Structure formats: structure tokens, C-alpha cells
Amino acid sequence: MSKRFEDFIKNNREEFDEIEPSADLWSKIEQSLNMPEELPKKQETKTFSLAFVLRVAASVIVVMGIGFGIYLQSQKGAKTVDLAAINPEYAKQQMHYASLVETKLTELKSVAKADPQLYKEFSAEIAKMDSTYKRLNADLATSPNQERVLRAMIRNLQVQTEVLNQQLSVIEQFNQMKKDQKDEIKNI
């Protein structure tokens, strides 16, 4: 200690001794020593089981898969093109021929009961043309010349209608021939 500080304490010793601690101070100190100290509680660390983590991961994957599926569906829906916006006249023709093709296909299916083998051959040809039509329809959204693709779609539907008419005519002739043969057999 510094010399001046020591001299100050010696000169003023009586003033330092005036203040004495209270009598029960020592008893309070003893009580606190006898009491067990409460340690702060440790926070429990949470551990996750492998099964829990896998369930959470599977849930996340399922939710992401559903979201991705919805996204893909919305993208497919966005690719449809308004045919009337391209050319209203072509849109009417497309609707007309598409309904004709559907009507003729229904007629062909009704005849299929009589001769399933013939129907199978005819429907294979129509399926090829229909796949071409679907490809054209898919290309329509991205084509730079949509009017030309629409004309090709209409031409495809016209050809399908012509082929279906020919097929129905062949089936009708075939059925007429069968009927004539039955009539001849009856007459003999």
C-alpha cells in the first residue's frame, strides 16, 4: 500500500471502528452456510429419435410431392389455346369435325359387336390418326404459326371423318353381303 494511505488509516482509526456489524449478522451467515445451495437447473437437451426424424422427413416429401403435382397440373392447364382467338372460322370447323368424328366413332363402336376383329383393325387406324391430332394439339401452344397448325388439325379431323365413313360403308356392305348369303341359303 502506499504510505499516505497507511498514514490516513492510522490517523483515523477510531472513526473506522465506530461502525460495527449487527449481532445477528453472524447467525445469518451460519444459516446460509447450513442451507444447501440450489444449483440452477440445467436445461434438458431434447433429442429426437430416428423414427421421429424419418416421419417428419416423409411428411415433408409427401407435401412437396403433392405441391409439385399441383404445379404440373397447373402448367398443363396453362397450355390450352383459345382456338377462336387464332381464327374463329377455323375454330368452328374444328368443333364441327371433332363432333363428326365422335359421332362416327360411336357408330363404329355399335357395329363392333357384330364383328370385333374388323372393329379392331379399323380402330387401330383411327388411333394412329388420333395420336397425330393430339400431337398437333400439343404443338399448337408453342407453334409460331398457330393458324397453320390449326388448319392441319382440321385436315386431320376431315381425314378421320372420311376414313370412318369408308369404314362404316365397308361394314354396311359386309353386313349386306352376309344377309344376302343367308337369304340365298334359305331359298335353296
Side-chain angles (χ1 to χ4, degrees):
M1 281 204 246
S2 73
K3 183 74 170 158
R4 286 184 350 165
F5 185 63
E6 284 181 25
D7 289 339
F8 175 76
I9 291 177
K10 285 181 187 178
N11 292 337
N12 298 315
R13 179 117 181 131
E14 292 174 9
E15 290 177 28
F16 285 115
D17 288 340
E18 281 183 13
I19 302 175
E20 288 191 23
S22 66
D24 60 324
L25 178 66
W26 287 112
S27 63
K28 287 181 183 177
I29 292 173
E30 284 178 359
Q31 281 179 351
S32 69
L33 289 175
N34 291 337
M35 291 181 75
E37 282 188 42
E38 288 186 30
L39 297 174
K41 290 184 180 179
K42 291 183 179 177
Q43 290 183 345
E44 294 180 22
T45 57
K46 292 184 180 181
T47 57
F48 298 108
S49 67
L50 180 61
F52 176 75
V53 171
L54 290 177
R55 277 190 228 129
V56 170
S59 300
V60 168
I61 289 172
V62 167
V63 169
M64 287 177 66
I66 290 171
F68 187 66
I70 291 171
Y71 171 75
L72 288 178
Q73 287 294 73
S74 69
Q75 293 301 314
K76 282 184 181 178
K79 288 184 180 179
T80 59
V81 176
D82 183 20
L83 301 179
I86 297 170
N87 187 327
E89 185 62 34
Y90 287 162
K92 287 178 187 175
Q93 287 180 6
Q94 189 270 344
M95 292 295 290
H96 172 72
Y97 285 113
S99 66
L100 272 176
V101 167
E102 287 300 317
T103 304
K104 299 293 181 183
L105 280 173
T106 305
E107 288 179 39
L108 188 63
K109 286 179 185 176
S110 67
V111 175
K113 296 172 186 169
D115 195 352
Q117 181 62 30
L118 191 59
Y119 171 76
K120 185 177 178 183
E121 289 178 28
F122 286 167
S123 63
E125 287 191 35
I126 293 298
K128 289 176 189 175
M129 286 187 273
D130 191 47
S131 68
T132 303
Y133 176 80
K134 287 179 181 176
R135 191 173 10 146
L136 286 169
N137 197 10
D139 291 344
L140 183 64
T142 58
S143 175
N145 192 351
Q146 292 179 329
E147 194 168 309
R148 186 173 183 184
V149 174
L150 186 55
R151 282 195 310 260
M153 289 170 58
I154 292 169
R155 183 65 189 138
N156 180 283
L157 289 172
Q158 288 172 336
V159 170
Q160 283 186 46
T161 305
E162 291 170 8
V163 169
L164 284 166
N165 283 334
Q166 289 174 358
Q167 290 174 346
L168 288 170
S169 175
V170 166
I171 290 173
E172 201 174 293
Q173 289 174 0
F174 183 71
N175 288 340
Q176 184 64 36
M177 190 173 68
K178 276 185 176 179
K179 185 178 177 184
D180 289 345
Q181 284 178 350
K182 284 182 184 180
D183 288 344
E184 284 181 18
I185 293 174
K186 285 183 184 178
N187 290 337
I188 296 182

